[in-house]
Amino acid sequence: MTARDTTVLHRLVASVAGPARTDSLMTTMVVHPALAGATGDRASRAVIAQALNMLLFADLIDRVPAAAAYVAERVAAGGTLCHDHGAVRTVAMAGQGALPAGEAAITRILEPLGYAQVGHYPLDRLKMTGRSYAQKDLPEDIAQFFVSELHPERFGPDFEAAVLRVTGSSRDPLTAEAAAALDRLAAEGTLDIVTATALLPVLVGCFDRQHDVPALADYEALKAQSAEMAWIATEGNAFNHATDRVADVEALAEAERAAGRPIKDKVEVSASGRVRQTAYRAAEVERPFRDASGNIVTRIVPGSFYEFITRDPLPETLATETGRRLDLGFDSSNAQGIFKMTAAA
């Protein structure tokens, strides 16, 4: 056993991913030294947040072949990955079985982990709203979450009815024991390692599809009006994308395009010019549906994808005001352009 194996972060991640995968993640991903080196029998909210992000990042890499190839190439060249943010989609509508409506299904997890809302982004073209959440202890070093809500009432009653038929069977993956542990974490800022280890896989399970296999007819009806809601129908609250923070996204995009990889034609640039983003096209995945007779059929649909982002430093006045070096903001136009990566398989 090495010194790294005894750190709190390694023990937490290994309890879910196993020692070998954890070793790989610890060397592949950029981890703040205060998180990587923490020892003892208590886990801080920041360490638990980092562990959750590492496991969700690993899950996305497993589901997106282009991302797995990119990560393998970077690691082989001696590079590392700086996980900037993960994106999650929700539905702002009551009646989704036992699952809380909208972003509350996610924020009830994020807030005890030390996350706070730092941005609000109308996504009017998509009839959605996005909000960004940063971890208060290490906002530049622990990945943000970009949580979006889709507003079914903006589409009409038939659409709303289809949404409820799809999501009405949702189960709540957050157990009473896990909720109590989150309450304790919110109040105290730390958990004993045994409780944190039991909590972590439950939190990971909250980032998944919670409802039953959707009817193909409902999926097609949703897709006709909203590619985003159709994506939620098959993928639920899974990571829509994870993001590598890179030094020069334009150069990376040009190189990926020249290599024939499935990268977006355009780099999205924020109104400030300080945040620039692009992404691979969504992975094509096979998902089950129920046909009109109740039989299970499968279709190829858009899955998740991998994004790249460059964040320039804030002007000195803003850096002083916020206490941050980088522009951690997002941009409504950028987000809507990136979201279109799951519009078609």
Side-chain angles (χ1 to χ4, degrees):
M1 180 176 290
T2 66
R4 185 177 61 189
D5 295 339
T6 64
T7 65
V8 177
L9 180 60
H10 194 284
R11 291 162 67 189
L12 285 177
V13 177
S15 71
V16 178
R21 187 73 187 276
T22 302
D23 287 345
S24 175
L25 289 170
M26 294 289 289
T27 55
T28 296
M29 301 178 71
V30 175
V31 182
H32 191 282
L35 304 174
T39 58
D41 292 321
R42 296 197 70 80
S44 70
R45 65 185 188 179
V47 168
I48 298 171
Q50 178 67 27
L52 175 62
N53 270 295
M54 293 173 76
L55 290 166
L56 295 177
F57 176 89
D59 172 67
L60 183 126
I61 298 304
D62 289 343
R63 295 185 289 109
V64 180
Y70 169 80
V71 170
E73 185 177 273
R74 284 292 302 274
V75 172
T80 54
L81 287 302
C82 180
H83 177 39
D84 181 87
H85 70 274
V88 183
R89 294 177 177 179
T90 68
V91 184
M93 188 178 197
Q96 298 177 73
L99 196 67
E103 67 164 15
I106 304 300
T107 58
R108 62 183 177 156
I109 296 162
L110 298 183
E111 288 168 357
L113 296 180
Y115 280 87
Q117 183 182 327
V118 293
H120 177 273
Y121 305 95
L123 308 175
D124 294 333
R125 292 202 306 270
L126 307 178
K127 301 179 182 178
M128 301 178 77
T129 300
R131 297 177 181 87
S132 59
Y133 291 83
Q135 211 280 341
K136 292 180 283 189
D137 303 317
L138 291 167
E140 294 189 15
D141 301 288
I142 297 176
Q144 294 188 79
F145 281 77
F146 190 91
V147 185
S148 58
E149 292 183 321
L150 183 132
H151 303 287
E153 73 281 0
R154 299 184 189 178
F155 293 88
D158 290 344
F159 185 93
E160 290 182 276
V163 169
L164 284 179
R165 286 195 296 271
V166 167
T167 63
S169 60
S170 294
R171 299 159 292 277
D172 187 352
L174 194 66
T175 63
E177 293 79 8
L182 286 175
D183 287 344
R184 200 177 324 145
L185 182 61
E188 301 175 10
T190 66
L191 289 175
D192 65 86
I193 191 72
V194 173
T195 301
T197 300
L199 173 65
L200 192 55
V202 180
L203 300 187
V204 172
C206 291
F207 295 84
D208 203 345
R209 193 191 80 215
Q210 312 302 345
H211 53 263
D212 293 341
V213 172
L216 182 59
D218 288 330
Y219 174 81
E220 295 291 351
L222 295 172
K223 186 174 72 169
Q225 295 193 64
S226 171
E228 290 68 38
M229 185 60 225
W231 190 92
I232 294 169
T234 62
E235 311 304 302
N237 302 132
F239 255 20
N240 174 256
H241 63 265
T243 310
D244 187 16
R245 187 191 298 166
V246 299
D248 187 343
V249 72
E250 287 90 352
L252 181 142
E254 185 177 339
E256 293 297 292
R257 200 171 295 115
R261 301 205 174 96
I263 201 155
K264 195 174 184 292
D265 293 333
K266 177 185 176 184
V267 172
E268 304 289 342
V269 182
S270 67
S272 72
R274 293 189 296 268
V275 181
R276 302 180 297 284
Q277 300 164 259
T278 193
Y280 288 138
R281 292 191 295 274
E284 295 183 344
V285 296
E286 187 176 39
R287 293 291 183 258
F289 298 90
R290 289 181 292 105
D291 67 12
S293 300
N295 298 316
I296 297 296
V297 297
T298 60
R299 296 289 185 271
I300 302 297
V301 300
S304 298
F305 62 94
Y306 197 63
E307 182 186 346
F308 307 92
I309 193 167
T310 293
R311 295 189 181 277
D312 289 345
L314 288 166
E316 186 175 345
T317 53
L318 285 176
T320 302
E321 179 183 325
T322 62
R324 297 173 186 171
R325 180 178 61 87
L326 294 178
D327 187 338
L328 296 182
F330 293 87
D331 182 279
S332 292
S333 179
N334 278 19
Q336 290 173 117
I338 292 293
F339 271 36
K340 287 299 181 183
M341 301 313 288
T342 56

